[in-house]
Amino acid sequence: MEEGEVSGAENGGNKRNVVKNRKRKSNRGQNSDSDSEKGRHQLKRRKECKIPELSNLRDRERVEQILTSMRNAGPNTLQVISDFDMTLTRFSFNGKRCPTSYNILEHSKLISEDCKAKLKNLLDTFYPIEIDSKRSVEEKLPLMVEWWTKAHELLVQQKIIKDDLALVVRESEAMLREGYQQFFDHLHQLSVPLLIFSAGVGDVLEEVIRQAGVFHPNVKVFSNYMDFDESGVLRAFKGELIHIYNKREGAMLNTEHFKELQSRCNVLLLGDSLGDLNMADGVMDLENILKIGYLNDKVDERRESYLNSYDIVLEKDETMDVPNAILRYITGH
């Protein structure tokens, strides 16, 4: 230990320790110079890093101010809050709609043909209401509760077996967006929390992430989870119903979790509906929030409402390119 050697020399110890320590100090000085040069190089590189090229912005100057502030604060102050279906997963591939976590079950062999027809009828009835820009959230709310409740009741009647879920996901056409690996891995490497608030089926979406190899320890999911009996057969859904327009309530119910992340005062929020905008309402001491919205369907008629609500709107974009570019800028990596 260096300090022991110096102390020993000053008290009449072996003089070779003093020489050895001087050499160390000399080397330390050289290392310090090298570290300083490295630091200057990294600082220069950070300064040269530019805000990514972005389009469809509500207020470009405001977005740039938020990005600069978040970058200056560093990755230790960041958390990412995201929806799952059609936000982290693709909306379509080669012109064909990709399944949501509910669709994965609906299209599987676990569901009878009669049940599939009833679920399809619910989708045809309520999905146009969900995306209708002319209806208010207050008008949609009870209808969304009705849709989710009826869908859950139908699924419970199918007596789904827990052990079958992994195979159903593997055989499905569910796809995370292009660039997902970089997105999940980057957050994991920097220990940035990724909180997923989903109105889908938690057991299914967790399996999608797990099979993609990116269910890292920094990922936390809040969703509708199945309740299986001791034989592993679905008997109900747990807890409070989470649908597309009550994610704010879901966020507020998890304030204890947000307390653990109190130092994470900067939020990158990803969603694909106007119901996703309130997912960060439980965040403590919020300083900056950047909201990115995926506009997947009915683009022309919904563009204005999305631009009035999200900071950045991504139209028919099946990739994670923009979130990844923003994360690279914010974290300096």
Side-chain angles (χ1 to χ4, degrees), residues 2-46:
E2 284 184 28
E3 289 181 4
E5 290 170 355
V6 173
S7 176
E10 290 173 346
N11 289 289
N14 194 323
K15 291 182 179 179
R16 281 178 296 180
N17 287 337
V18 180
V19 175
K20 188 193 298 183
N21 197 47
R22 284 174 181 159
K23 287 182 178 178
R24 286 180 179 170
K25 286 183 178 179
S26 175
N27 291 337
R28 192 188 303 144
Q30 292 173 6
N31 291 336
S32 178
D33 291 342
S34 175
D35 290 343
S36 297
E37 182 63 30
K38 183 179 179 182
R40 283 194 293 271
H41 178 69
Q42 290 175 340
L43 181 61
K44 180 180 178 183
R45 191 169 59 190
R46 281 178 67 88

mmCIF file of all heavy atoms in Angstrom, residues 2-46:
data_model
loop_
_atom_site.group_PDB
_atom_site.id
_atom_site.type_symbol
_atom_site.label_atom_id
_atom_site.label_comp_id
_atom_site.label_asym_id
_atom_site.label_seq_id
_atom_site.Cartn_x
_atom_site.Cartn_y
_atom_site.Cartn_z
ATOM 1 N N GLU A 2 0.640 2.165 -0.902
ATOM 2 C CA GLU A 2 1.546 3.300 -1.077
ATOM 3 C C GLU A 2 1.683 4.121 0.181
ATOM 4 O O GLU A 2 2.768 4.509 0.569
ATOM 5 C CB GLU A 2 1.035 4.203 -2.216
ATOM 6 C CG GLU A 2 1.297 3.620 -3.587
ATOM 7 C CD GLU A 2 0.881 4.577 -4.657
ATOM 8 O OE1 GLU A 2 0.910 5.786 -4.403
ATOM 9 O OE2 GLU A 2 0.541 4.140 -5.751
ATOM 10 N N GLU A 3 0.570 4.434 0.837
ATOM 11 C CA GLU A 3 0.649 5.303 1.993
ATOM 12 C C GLU A 3 1.521 4.685 3.077
ATOM 13 O O GLU A 3 2.282 5.348 3.746
ATOM 14 C CB GLU A 3 -0.759 5.579 2.541
ATOM 15 C CG GLU A 3 -1.567 6.469 1.629
ATOM 16 C CD GLU A 3 -2.928 6.752 2.188
ATOM 17 O OE1 GLU A 3 -3.204 6.310 3.307
ATOM 18 O OE2 GLU A 3 -3.697 7.421 1.493
ATOM 19 N N GLY A 4 1.454 3.353 3.240
ATOM 20 C CA GLY A 4 2.292 2.672 4.230
ATOM 21 C C GLY A 4 3.750 2.807 3.895
ATOM 22 O O GLY A 4 4.575 3.008 4.776
ATOM 23 N N GLU A 5 4.101 2.698 2.616
ATOM 24 C CA GLU A 5 5.490 2.806 2.204
ATOM 25 C C GLU A 5 6.029 4.213 2.463
ATOM 26 O O GLU A 5 7.145 4.384 2.929
ATOM 27 C CB GLU A 5 5.613 2.458 0.712
ATOM 28 C CG GLU A 5 5.378 0.961 0.453
ATOM 29 C CD GLU A 5 5.254 0.653 -1.006
ATOM 30 O OE1 GLU A 5 5.247 1.604 -1.797
ATOM 31 O OE2 GLU A 5 5.143 -0.525 -1.375
ATOM 32 N N VAL A 6 5.250 5.248 2.160
ATOM 33 C CA VAL A 6 5.692 6.616 2.401
ATOM 34 C C VAL A 6 5.899 6.824 3.890
ATOM 35 O O VAL A 6 6.895 7.354 4.336
ATOM 36 C CB VAL A 6 4.646 7.622 1.863
ATOM 37 C CG1 VAL A 6 5.026 9.025 2.253
ATOM 38 C CG2 VAL A 6 4.551 7.507 0.345
ATOM 39 N N SER A 7 4.954 6.382 4.682
ATOM 40 C CA SER A 7 5.048 6.549 6.136
ATOM 41 C C SER A 7 6.270 5.835 6.664
ATOM 42 O O SER A 7 7.008 6.357 7.474
ATOM 43 C CB SER A 7 3.779 5.987 6.803
ATOM 44 O OG SER A 7 3.886 6.065 8.196
ATOM 45 N N GLY A 8 6.534 4.619 6.154
ATOM 46 C CA GLY A 8 7.706 3.869 6.623
ATOM 47 C C GLY A 8 8.980 4.598 6.275
ATOM 48 O O GLY A 8 9.916 4.646 7.072
ATOM 49 N N ALA A 9 9.094 5.194 5.111
ATOM 50 C CA ALA A 9 10.300 5.897 4.691
ATOM 51 C C ALA A 9 10.527 7.110 5.564
ATOM 52 O O ALA A 9 11.645 7.406 5.955
ATOM 53 C CB ALA A 9 10.173 6.331 3.221
ATOM 54 N N GLU A 10 9.440 7.841 5.886
ATOM 55 C CA GLU A 10 9.596 9.035 6.688
ATOM 56 C C GLU A 10 10.015 8.704 8.109
ATOM 57 O O GLU A 10 10.595 9.526 8.803
ATOM 58 C CB GLU A 10 8.271 9.818 6.711
ATOM 59 C CG GLU A 10 7.936 10.456 5.372
ATOM 60 C CD GLU A 10 6.575 11.066 5.372
ATOM 61 O OE1 GLU A 10 5.797 10.776 6.305
ATOM 62 O OE2 GLU A 10 6.285 11.831 4.451
ATOM 63 N N ASN A 11 9.804 7.489 8.546
ATOM 64 C CA ASN A 11 10.169 7.079 9.901
ATOM 65 C C ASN A 11 11.403 6.191 9.898
ATOM 66 O O ASN A 11 11.559 5.332 10.751
ATOM 67 C CB ASN A 11 8.999 6.328 10.550
ATOM 68 C CG ASN A 11 7.864 7.273 10.875
ATOM 69 O OD1 ASN A 11 7.980 8.078 11.777
ATOM 70 N ND2 ASN A 11 6.783 7.182 10.116
ATOM 71 N N GLY A 12 12.254 6.388 8.920
ATOM 72 C CA GLY A 12 13.523 5.672 8.889
ATOM 73 C C GLY A 12 13.442 4.327 8.219
ATOM 74 O O GLY A 12 14.331 3.501 8.399
ATOM 75 N N GLY A 13 12.386 4.042 7.492
ATOM 76 C CA GLY A 13 12.248 2.769 6.821
ATOM 77 C C GLY A 13 13.182 2.680 5.628
ATOM 78 O O GLY A 13 14.010 3.554 5.384
ATOM 79 N N ASN A 14 13.035 1.630 4.881
ATOM 80 C CA ASN A 14 13.897 1.350 3.744
ATOM 81 C C ASN A 14 13.781 2.447 2.704
ATOM 82 O O ASN A 14 12.704 2.777 2.238
ATOM 83 C CB ASN A 14 13.465 0.004 3.110
ATOM 84 C CG ASN A 14 14.508 -0.507 2.159
ATOM 85 O OD1 ASN A 14 15.130 0.275 1.471
ATOM 86 N ND2 ASN A 14 14.706 -1.812 2.127
ATOM 87 N N LYS A 15 14.940 3.054 2.317
ATOM 88 C CA LYS A 15 14.945 4.182 1.381
ATOM 89 C C LYS A 15 14.476 3.768 0.001
ATOM 90 O O LYS A 15 14.052 4.590 -0.789
ATOM 91 C CB LYS A 15 16.336 4.796 1.283
ATOM 92 C CG LYS A 15 16.757 5.502 2.564
ATOM 93 C CD LYS A 15 18.108 6.136 2.393
ATOM 94 C CE LYS A 15 18.539 6.871 3.670
ATOM 95 N NZ LYS A 15 19.866 7.475 3.536
ATOM 96 N N ARG A 16 14.593 2.442 -0.278
ATOM 97 C CA ARG A 16 14.153 2.005 -1.598
ATOM 98 C C ARG A 16 12.653 2.235 -1.761
ATOM 99 O O ARG A 16 12.161 2.429 -2.861
ATOM 100 C CB ARG A 16 14.457 0.509 -1.787
ATOM 101 C CG ARG A 16 15.920 0.242 -2.126
ATOM 102 C CD ARG A 16 16.195 -1.225 -2.261
ATOM 103 N NE ARG A 16 15.977 -1.899 -0.989
ATOM 104 C CZ ARG A 16 16.150 -3.218 -0.822
ATOM 105 N NH1 ARG A 16 16.540 -3.954 -1.828
ATOM 106 N NH2 ARG A 16 15.950 -3.762 0.357
ATOM 107 N N ASN A 17 11.928 2.229 -0.629
ATOM 108 C CA ASN A 17 10.489 2.507 -0.703
ATOM 109 C C ASN A 17 10.229 3.913 -1.217
ATOM 110 O O ASN A 17 9.260 4.173 -1.921
ATOM 111 C CB ASN A 17 9.842 2.356 0.678
ATOM 112 C CG ASN A 17 9.742 0.895 1.081
ATOM 113 O OD1 ASN A 17 9.739 0.028 0.230
ATOM 114 N ND2 ASN A 17 9.669 0.643 2.380
ATOM 115 N N VAL A 18 11.097 4.864 -0.776
ATOM 116 C CA VAL A 18 10.942 6.253 -1.220
ATOM 117 C C VAL A 18 11.162 6.352 -2.708
ATOM 118 O O VAL A 18 10.420 7.016 -3.429
ATOM 119 C CB VAL A 18 11.930 7.173 -0.469
ATOM 120 C CG1 VAL A 18 11.763 8.598 -0.938
ATOM 121 C CG2 VAL A 18 11.722 7.067 1.030
ATOM 122 N N VAL A 19 12.203 5.661 -3.214
ATOM 123 C CA VAL A 19 12.493 5.683 -4.644
ATOM 124 C C VAL A 19 11.347 5.060 -5.419
ATOM 125 O O VAL A 19 10.902 5.579 -6.435
ATOM 126 C CB VAL A 19 13.811 4.916 -4.930
ATOM 127 C CG1 VAL A 19 14.045 4.828 -6.429
ATOM 128 C CG2 VAL A 19 14.976 5.597 -4.233
ATOM 129 N N LYS A 20 10.873 3.919 -4.869
ATOM 130 C CA LYS A 20 9.764 3.241 -5.527
ATOM 131 C C LYS A 20 8.528 4.140 -5.591
ATOM 132 O O LYS A 20 7.843 4.217 -6.612
ATOM 133 C CB LYS A 20 9.429 1.964 -4.750
ATOM 134 C CG LYS A 20 8.411 1.063 -5.468
ATOM 135 C CD LYS A 20 7.863 -0.012 -4.546
ATOM 136 C CE LYS A 20 8.965 -0.930 -4.068
ATOM 137 N NZ LYS A 20 8.423 -2.020 -3.238
ATOM 138 N N ASN A 21 8.299 4.844 -4.477
ATOM 139 C CA ASN A 21 7.126 5.712 -4.429
ATOM 140 C C ASN A 21 7.266 6.896 -5.374
ATOM 141 O O ASN A 21 6.306 7.336 -5.992
ATOM 142 C CB ASN A 21 6.924 6.204 -2.991
ATOM 143 C CG ASN A 21 5.527 6.761 -2.776
ATOM 144 O OD1 ASN A 21 4.558 6.124 -3.181
ATOM 145 N ND2 ASN A 21 5.434 7.926 -2.173
ATOM 146 N N ARG A 22 8.522 7.434 -5.477
ATOM 147 C CA ARG A 22 8.744 8.534 -6.412
ATOM 148 C C ARG A 22 8.455 8.103 -7.841
ATOM 149 O O ARG A 22 7.900 8.842 -8.639
ATOM 150 C CB ARG A 22 10.174 9.037 -6.303
ATOM 151 C CG ARG A 22 10.403 9.902 -5.055
ATOM 152 C CD ARG A 22 11.860 10.256 -4.918
ATOM 153 N NE ARG A 22 12.079 11.064 -3.721
ATOM 154 C CZ ARG A 22 13.271 11.181 -3.141
ATOM 155 N NH1 ARG A 22 14.329 10.553 -3.642
ATOM 156 N NH2 ARG A 22 13.401 11.928 -2.068
ATOM 157 N N LYS A 23 8.882 6.862 -8.148
ATOM 158 C CA LYS A 23 8.624 6.361 -9.500
ATOM 159 C C LYS A 23 7.121 6.255 -9.749
ATOM 160 O O LYS A 23 6.616 6.580 -10.806
ATOM 161 C CB LYS A 23 9.287 4.985 -9.686
ATOM 162 C CG LYS A 23 10.788 5.057 -9.807
ATOM 163 C CD LYS A 23 11.363 3.670 -10.032
ATOM 164 C CE LYS A 23 12.896 3.723 -10.215
ATOM 165 N NZ LYS A 23 13.458 2.385 -10.384
ATOM 166 N N ARG A 24 6.453 5.772 -8.674
ATOM 167 C CA ARG A 24 5.008 5.659 -8.814
ATOM 168 C C ARG A 24 4.375 7.010 -9.037
ATOM 169 O O ARG A 24 3.475 7.180 -9.848
ATOM 170 C CB ARG A 24 4.402 5.010 -7.565
ATOM 171 C CG ARG A 24 4.666 3.509 -7.487
ATOM 172 C CD ARG A 24 4.043 2.953 -6.238
ATOM 173 N NE ARG A 24 4.259 1.516 -6.156
ATOM 174 C CZ ARG A 24 3.995 0.790 -5.096
ATOM 175 N NH1 ARG A 24 3.526 1.389 -4.013
ATOM 176 N NH2 ARG A 24 4.194 -0.505 -5.075
ATOM 177 N N LYS A 25 4.836 8.018 -8.265
ATOM 178 C CA LYS A 25 4.295 9.368 -8.427
ATOM 179 C C LYS A 25 4.571 9.897 -9.824
ATOM 180 O O LYS A 25 3.749 10.553 -10.440
ATOM 181 C CB LYS A 25 4.894 10.309 -7.381
ATOM 182 C CG LYS A 25 4.328 10.075 -5.979
ATOM 183 C CD LYS A 25 4.906 11.070 -5.012
ATOM 184 C CE LYS A 25 4.305 10.884 -3.615
ATOM 185 N NZ LYS A 25 4.867 11.828 -2.646
ATOM 186 N N SER A 26 5.776 9.578 -10.318
ATOM 187 C CA SER A 26 6.141 10.013 -11.669
ATOM 188 C C SER A 26 5.218 9.360 -12.689
ATOM 189 O O SER A 26 4.704 10.001 -13.597
ATOM 190 C CB SER A 26 7.607 9.657 -11.952
ATOM 191 O OG SER A 26 7.926 9.971 -13.281
ATOM 192 N N ASN A 27 5.025 8.024 -12.514
ATOM 193 C CA ASN A 27 4.135 7.318 -13.423
ATOM 194 C C ASN A 27 2.712 7.839 -13.312
ATOM 195 O O ASN A 27 1.988 7.950 -14.292
ATOM 196 C CB ASN A 27 4.142 5.814 -13.114
ATOM 197 C CG ASN A 27 5.480 5.181 -13.486
ATOM 198 O OD1 ASN A 27 6.200 5.710 -14.324
ATOM 199 N ND2 ASN A 27 5.795 4.050 -12.861
ATOM 200 N N ARG A 28 2.355 8.171 -12.036
ATOM 201 C CA ARG A 28 1.012 8.681 -11.824
ATOM 202 C C ARG A 28 0.833 10.003 -12.559
ATOM 203 O O ARG A 28 -0.203 10.291 -13.123
ATOM 204 C CB ARG A 28 0.744 8.860 -10.327
ATOM 205 C CG ARG A 28 -0.715 9.114 -10.014
ATOM 206 C CD ARG A 28 -0.919 9.471 -8.555
ATOM 207 N NE ARG A 28 -0.415 8.443 -7.695
ATOM 208 C CZ ARG A 28 0.175 8.695 -6.520
ATOM 209 N NH1 ARG A 28 0.343 9.938 -6.127
ATOM 210 N NH2 ARG A 28 0.604 7.714 -5.770
ATOM 211 N N GLY A 29 1.859 10.817 -12.564
ATOM 212 C CA GLY A 29 1.812 12.094 -13.266
ATOM 213 C C GLY A 29 1.637 11.881 -14.751
ATOM 214 O O GLY A 29 0.863 12.573 -15.406
ATOM 215 N N GLN A 30 2.379 10.866 -15.278
ATOM 216 C CA GLN A 30 2.243 10.560 -16.696
ATOM 217 C C GLN A 30 0.826 10.062 -17.009
ATOM 218 O O GLN A 30 0.216 10.445 -18.002
ATOM 219 C CB GLN A 30 3.274 9.504 -17.099
ATOM 220 C CG GLN A 30 4.712 10.016 -17.047
ATOM 221 C CD GLN A 30 5.711 8.900 -17.275
ATOM 222 O OE1 GLN A 30 5.335 7.778 -17.575
ATOM 223 N NE2 GLN A 30 6.982 9.218 -17.144
ATOM 224 N N ASN A 31 0.329 9.176 -16.087
ATOM 225 C CA ASN A 31 -1.024 8.667 -16.280
ATOM 226 C C ASN A 31 -2.042 9.788 -16.200
ATOM 227 O O ASN A 31 -3.031 9.812 -16.927
ATOM 228 C CB ASN A 31 -1.354 7.602 -15.223
ATOM 229 C CG ASN A 31 -0.551 6.334 -15.442
ATOM 230 O OD1 ASN A 31 -0.109 6.062 -16.555
ATOM 231 N ND2 ASN A 31 -0.371 5.555 -14.384
ATOM 232 N N SER A 32 -1.784 10.722 -15.271
ATOM 233 C CA SER A 32 -2.700 11.853 -15.107
ATOM 234 C C SER A 32 -2.769 12.688 -16.374
ATOM 235 O O SER A 32 -3.828 13.110 -16.808
ATOM 236 C CB SER A 32 -2.262 12.707 -13.920
ATOM 237 O OG SER A 32 -3.109 13.824 -13.773
ATOM 238 N N ASP A 33 -1.576 12.910 -16.978
ATOM 239 C CA ASP A 33 -1.533 13.655 -18.234
ATOM 240 C C ASP A 33 -2.323 12.922 -19.313
ATOM 241 O O ASP A 33 -3.060 13.509 -20.092
ATOM 242 C CB ASP A 33 -0.086 13.857 -18.696
ATOM 243 C CG ASP A 33 0.655 14.828 -17.775
ATOM 244 O OD1 ASP A 33 -0.031 15.572 -17.034
ATOM 245 O OD2 ASP A 33 1.898 14.813 -17.794
ATOM 246 N N SER A 34 -2.102 11.576 -19.318
ATOM 247 C CA SER A 34 -2.800 10.762 -20.309
ATOM 248 C C SER A 34 -4.300 10.803 -20.084
ATOM 249 O O SER A 34 -5.090 10.933 -21.023
ATOM 250 C CB SER A 34 -2.306 9.311 -20.227
ATOM 251 O OG SER A 34 -3.046 8.499 -21.105
ATOM 252 N N ASP A 35 -4.728 10.702 -18.809
ATOM 253 C CA ASP A 35 -6.146 10.748 -18.477
ATOM 254 C C ASP A 35 -6.753 12.092 -18.850
ATOM 255 O O ASP A 35 -7.882 12.175 -19.339
ATOM 256 C CB ASP A 35 -6.359 10.496 -16.976
ATOM 257 C CG ASP A 35 -6.052 9.051 -16.592
ATOM 258 O OD1 ASP A 35 -6.001 8.212 -17.510
ATOM 259 O OD2 ASP A 35 -5.856 8.782 -15.387
ATOM 260 N N SER A 36 -5.993 13.163 -18.604
ATOM 261 C CA SER A 36 -6.487 14.502 -18.931
ATOM 262 C C SER A 36 -6.710 14.640 -20.426
ATOM 263 O O SER A 36 -7.700 15.213 -20.876
ATOM 264 C CB SER A 36 -5.502 15.573 -18.451
ATOM 265 O OG SER A 36 -5.381 15.544 -17.047
ATOM 266 N N GLU A 37 -5.726 14.118 -21.189
ATOM 267 C CA GLU A 37 -5.837 14.173 -22.643
ATOM 268 C C GLU A 37 -7.050 13.374 -23.118
ATOM 269 O O GLU A 37 -7.812 13.804 -23.988
ATOM 270 C CB GLU A 37 -4.563 13.593 -23.282
ATOM 271 C CG GLU A 37 -4.561 13.653 -24.814
ATOM 272 C CD GLU A 37 -4.607 15.088 -25.329
ATOM 273 O OE1 GLU A 37 -4.077 15.996 -24.632
ATOM 274 O OE2 GLU A 37 -5.192 15.307 -26.409
ATOM 275 N N LYS A 38 -7.234 12.200 -22.474
ATOM 276 C CA LYS A 38 -8.373 11.348 -22.821
ATOM 277 C C LYS A 38 -9.683 12.064 -22.486
ATOM 278 O O LYS A 38 -10.643 12.035 -23.251
ATOM 279 C CB LYS A 38 -8.274 10.025 -22.054
ATOM 280 C CG LYS A 38 -9.375 9.032 -22.389
ATOM 281 C CD LYS A 38 -9.154 7.754 -21.602
ATOM 282 C CE LYS A 38 -10.267 6.745 -21.901
ATOM 283 N NZ LYS A 38 -10.090 5.511 -21.109
ATOM 284 N N GLY A 39 -9.698 12.715 -21.318
ATOM 285 C CA GLY A 39 -10.882 13.453 -20.895
ATOM 286 C C GLY A 39 -11.208 14.575 -21.846
ATOM 287 O O GLY A 39 -12.377 14.812 -22.176
ATOM 288 N N ARG A 40 -10.136 15.317 -22.279
ATOM 289 C CA ARG A 40 -10.361 16.414 -23.221
ATOM 290 C C ARG A 40 -10.920 15.884 -24.543
ATOM 291 O O ARG A 40 -11.787 16.497 -25.163
ATOM 292 C CB ARG A 40 -9.052 17.178 -23.454
ATOM 293 C CG ARG A 40 -8.680 18.115 -22.320
ATOM 294 C CD ARG A 40 -7.583 19.067 -22.740
ATOM 295 N NE ARG A 40 -6.321 18.394 -22.989
ATOM 296 C CZ ARG A 40 -5.392 18.174 -22.056
ATOM 297 N NH1 ARG A 40 -5.597 18.573 -20.817
ATOM 298 N NH2 ARG A 40 -4.272 17.557 -22.351
ATOM 299 N N HIS A 41 -10.400 14.714 -24.955
ATOM 300 C CA HIS A 41 -10.861 14.115 -26.202
ATOM 301 C C HIS A 41 -12.335 13.725 -26.100
ATOM 302 O O HIS A 41 -13.122 13.970 -27.023
ATOM 303 C CB HIS A 41 -10.013 12.883 -26.527
ATOM 304 C CG HIS A 41 -10.452 12.164 -27.775
ATOM 305 N ND1 HIS A 41 -10.310 12.694 -29.038
ATOM 306 C CD2 HIS A 41 -11.055 10.952 -27.937
ATOM 307 C CE1 HIS A 41 -10.790 11.842 -29.930
ATOM 308 N NE2 HIS A 41 -11.259 10.782 -29.283
ATOM 309 N N GLN A 42 -12.720 13.110 -24.940
ATOM 310 C CA GLN A 42 -14.107 12.707 -24.743
ATOM 311 C C GLN A 42 -15.026 13.920 -24.692
ATOM 312 O O GLN A 42 -16.124 13.906 -25.233
ATOM 313 C CB GLN A 42 -14.243 11.889 -23.451
ATOM 314 C CG GLN A 42 -13.609 10.504 -23.545
ATOM 315 C CD GLN A 42 -13.651 9.769 -22.224
ATOM 316 O OE1 GLN A 42 -13.807 10.379 -21.166
ATOM 317 N NE2 GLN A 42 -13.520 8.453 -22.285
ATOM 318 N N LEU A 43 -14.579 14.988 -24.008
ATOM 319 C CA LEU A 43 -15.367 16.208 -23.915
ATOM 320 C C LEU A 43 -15.582 16.804 -25.299
ATOM 321 O O LEU A 43 -16.678 17.246 -25.648
ATOM 322 C CB LEU A 43 -14.678 17.220 -22.994
ATOM 323 C CG LEU A 43 -15.412 18.545 -22.773
ATOM 324 C CD1 LEU A 43 -16.768 18.281 -22.131
ATOM 325 C CD2 LEU A 43 -14.579 19.472 -21.898
ATOM 326 N N LYS A 44 -14.486 16.817 -26.095
ATOM 327 C CA LYS A 44 -14.580 17.350 -27.443
ATOM 328 C C LYS A 44 -15.575 16.533 -28.264
ATOM 329 O O LYS A 44 -16.398 17.066 -29.001
ATOM 330 C CB LYS A 44 -13.201 17.310 -28.112
ATOM 331 C CG LYS A 44 -13.209 17.868 -29.540
ATOM 332 C CD LYS A 44 -11.811 17.791 -30.140
ATOM 333 C CE LYS A 44 -11.816 18.303 -31.577
ATOM 334 N NZ LYS A 44 -10.503 18.179 -32.214
ATOM 335 N N ARG A 45 -15.498 15.204 -28.079
ATOM 336 C CA ARG A 45 -16.388 14.333 -28.826
ATOM 337 C C ARG A 45 -17.841 14.563 -28.425
ATOM 338 O O ARG A 45 -18.744 14.560 -29.249
ATOM 339 C CB ARG A 45 -16.008 12.864 -28.597
ATOM 340 C CG ARG A 45 -16.714 11.891 -29.526
ATOM 341 C CD ARG A 45 -16.115 10.509 -29.429
ATOM 342 N NE ARG A 45 -16.197 9.999 -28.077
ATOM 343 C CZ ARG A 45 -15.586 8.894 -27.679
ATOM 344 N NH1 ARG A 45 -14.826 8.214 -28.508
ATOM 345 N NH2 ARG A 45 -15.711 8.464 -26.438
ATOM 346 N N ARG A 46 -18.088 14.773 -27.105
ATOM 347 C CA ARG A 46 -19.440 15.058 -26.614
ATOM 348 C C ARG A 46 -19.964 16.370 -27.205
ATOM 349 O O ARG A 46 -21.111 16.485 -27.601
ATOM 350 C CB ARG A 46 -19.459 15.127 -25.083
ATOM 351 C CG ARG A 46 -19.473 13.785 -24.406
ATOM 352 C CD ARG A 46 -19.436 13.957 -22.890
ATOM 353 N NE ARG A 46 -20.645 14.568 -22.397
ATOM 354 C CZ ARG A 46 -21.739 13.914 -22.046
ATOM 355 N NH1 ARG A 46 -21.777 12.609 -22.172
ATOM 356 N NH2 ARG A 46 -22.789 14.541 -21.583
#
